[in-house]
Amino acid sequence: MANHKSSLKRIRQTKTRTLHNRYYAKTMRNAVRKLRAMTNKEEAAALYPKVQKMLDKLAKNNIIHKNKAANLKSSLAIHINKLG
């Protein structure tokens, strides 16, 4: 176990940030899953901007990598365009 005051504080901060980041990453994954499960093009197109905004924010804050966000946005856009 850590002995320094600063390292104890660092452990507390890391735990808090990890929980925060995990929550937003999970929320993003659920939103992507929900969008991929949609079969109605109009509903999917309406939800896409919200998911896109979420991905951009998470990439900006380094919760997910910017290339991962770009890949997800691209694949979701392709999915929406394929819907009939």
Side-chain angles (χ1 to χ4, degrees), residues 2-81:
N3 293 321
H4 294 281
K5 246 182 165 179
S6 61
S7 53
L8 291 170
K9 181 178 178 181
R10 178 66 57 202
I11 290 167
R12 288 196 309 270
Q13 286 178 330
T14 304
K15 200 181 300 181
T16 307
R17 285 196 188 112
T18 301
L19 285 173
H20 179 265
N21 292 344
R22 197 185 303 158
Y23 169 77
Y24 283 105
K26 183 68 174 175
T27 305
M28 176 268 304
R29 283 197 301 273
N30 287 337
V32 169
R33 226 176 265 136
K34 183 179 176 185
L35 186 60
R36 281 208 179 110
M38 286 187 170
T39 53
N40 187 349
K41 188 170 186 168
E42 288 77 30
E43 288 178 17
L47 182 65
Y48 181 68
K50 293 175 185 151
V51 175
Q52 190 176 14
K53 184 178 178 181
M54 189 185 302
L55 288 167
D56 287 335
K57 280 185 176 181
L58 293 178
K60 186 180 86 175
N61 294 325
N62 289 322
I63 295 172
I64 60 171
H65 197 273
K66 63 178 183 156
N67 290 350
K68 180 179 177 70
N71 288 335
L72 283 171
K73 288 192 300 187
S74 173
S75 67
L76 289 172
I78 290 167
H79 170 71
I80 291 170
N81 287 331

